[in-house]
Amino acid sequence: MMTDVVVGRYNQLKRRLECDPSSCDLLFSLLVAALSSYRHDTVLRPFPPMYSASAAANNDDDRRRDYAALRSDVASCPNFRALDESIATNTRLLELLLWTIDAKQFSLKTCSQNKFNEICLLTGHTIDVAAPDCIFEVEYCQAVEEKFSALRSDRSIFFAYHGSRLENFHSILHFGLQGHLNKNSVFGEGTYLSSELSISIHYSPMGFAWDRSLLGHQLGCIAVCEIIDDPSVKCKMHERQQSRRGGQESSNSRARIAGSIGGDVPEKYYVVRNNDIIRVKYLLVYAQRNNLNRRAIQWIQRYKFALVLVLYVVFLILLGLFRSVTIRSFFKKFLNV
């Protein structure tokens, strides 16, 4: 029998799902994508606390993470349309869902497709690209908003796209973009963005998400970021941009990072070197639905190197057989019959 506390928590989850099921679905899908990654120990941050055990209550370094239990509960979770009171029998899964969809510092809100036109104007991208299947706005809590506004002061802001693998977005939403973790450092260390969606989309390949997601089994995610116009943002400026900034900077003064091995930052690119002056404002989600067995695809991807070796060996065997005089004479007799 469910206690009043469990009933209250279930009703809280139900109200949240009824309010905006798509945003809840995406948040849970991003957590599952991070959990499914071979880098789960680094990309699944923050880790759900209900699956951690600590010898010292206040020592996070000593925590043991129960990935097996987490994977088991995720596998047992029904899609959000089929979710009913039976979910409350697994209180840990119930707490996981509430923890995932009710973050303390931000929330997601589903936007209409008309929002894409507004985003295109904000970023100023010029190359046509397919519209996303879903658009979500990231709304921050009052404390985060006040901190960003104080940092911005009277400076202007601009918007740009950032592409990343699906498994990274759980951490990105919770901790922001961390430039020092970026592996692409051809033009210097920092977070790389572009004013063109067609450029950033190449860095956001489709990734496997939650297999019961209502959005799609495979998702690609691109962040639309809000950036404070600070001299630490490296980019190639045009005359029009210089006039907006008072004409005090040369076109090359912000295009080169010390120690860059690739030279100047290319046109339509930005490199943000201060994590505090950038935040995710929108998420563009591209969904792919197919009828192929997800486990079969995952198996092929996991063992593709061994599969290639097997196919290569089979090819060599067949090649040797067809070069055999005995086999060729057999085929000649067979075809002449």
Side-chain angles (χ1 to χ4, degrees), residues 120-139:
C120 292
L121 293 175
L122 289 173
T123 58
H125 84 241
T126 57
I127 301 174
D128 289 337
V129 77
D133 295 282
C134 303
I135 303 171
F136 300 90
E137 182 176 0
V138 184
E139 297 182 331

Side-chain angles (χ1 to χ4, degrees), residues 22-239:
S22 295
S23 67
C24 297
D25 193 300
L26 178 62
L27 288 169
F28 194 66
S29 294
L30 295 180
L31 179 139
V32 174
L35 175 64
S36 304
S37 170
Y38 72 94
R39 298 187 299 118
H40 57 265
D41 55 333
T42 56
V43 296
L44 187 51
R45 298 178 52 250
F47 186 83
M50 63 286 305
Y51 295 90
S52 294
S54 178
N58 296 320
N59 191 347
D60 290 343
D61 294 335
D62 292 336
R63 285 188 173 180
R64 292 178 289 106
R65 298 177 174 182
D66 194 346
Y67 287 102
L70 177 55
R71 290 191 179 97
S72 176
D73 284 347
V74 166
S76 68
C77 183
N79 74 61
F80 288 163
R81 282 180 184 161
L83 195 143
D84 56 25
E85 289 185 1
S86 63
I87 195 72
T89 60
N90 186 343
T91 55
R92 189 168 58 181
L93 176 56
L94 176 62
E95 292 302 321
L96 171 66
L97 292 173
L98 285 168
W99 178 85
T100 304
I101 65 180
D102 276 333
K104 293 181 179 180
Q105 293 190 325
F106 72 91
S107 62
L108 283 189
K109 182 181 75 173
T110 304
C111 301
S112 69
Q113 289 299 110
N114 294 332
K115 179 63 72 171
F116 185 58
N117 295 327
E118 181 182 329
I119 292 172
C120 292
L121 293 175
L122 289 173
T123 58
H125 84 241
T126 57
I127 301 174
D128 289 337
V129 77
D133 295 282
C134 303
I135 303 171
F136 300 90
E137 182 176 0
V138 184
E139 297 182 331
Y140 294 94
C141 68
Q142 184 177 352
V144 174
E145 281 288 350
E146 290 176 352
K147 181 180 178 181
F148 191 78
S149 297
L151 184 62
R152 175 188 174 184
S153 186
D154 58 350
R155 292 181 289 182
S156 61
I157 59 171
F158 62 96
F159 292 82
Y161 303 101
H162 174 77
S164 187
R165 299 180 68 86
L166 184 69
E167 63 205 43
N168 295 327
F169 275 92
H170 171 75
S171 177
I172 287 173
L173 283 175
H174 284 272
F175 296 112
L177 290 160
Q178 304 293 315
H180 63 283
L181 299 177
N182 186 18
K183 294 180 180 179
N184 183 8
S185 57
V186 176
F187 303 103
E189 184 181 286
T191 299
Y192 283 62
L193 304 99
S194 176
S195 59
E196 291 292 344
L197 178 56
S198 59
I199 293 175
S200 296
I201 204 169
H202 292 296
Y203 298 93
S204 295
M206 286 285 179
F208 284 113
W210 181 32
D211 58 2
R212 295 185 179 91
S213 171
L214 303 175
L215 301 177
H217 296 170
Q218 294 186 67
L219 303 175
C221 200
I222 297 170
V224 182
C225 299
E226 187 177 15
I227 309 159
I228 297 174
D229 191 3
D230 185 81
S232 64
V233 179
K234 300 302 179 181
C235 60
K236 184 160 287 187
M237 299 172 61
H238 298 286
E239 292 182 2

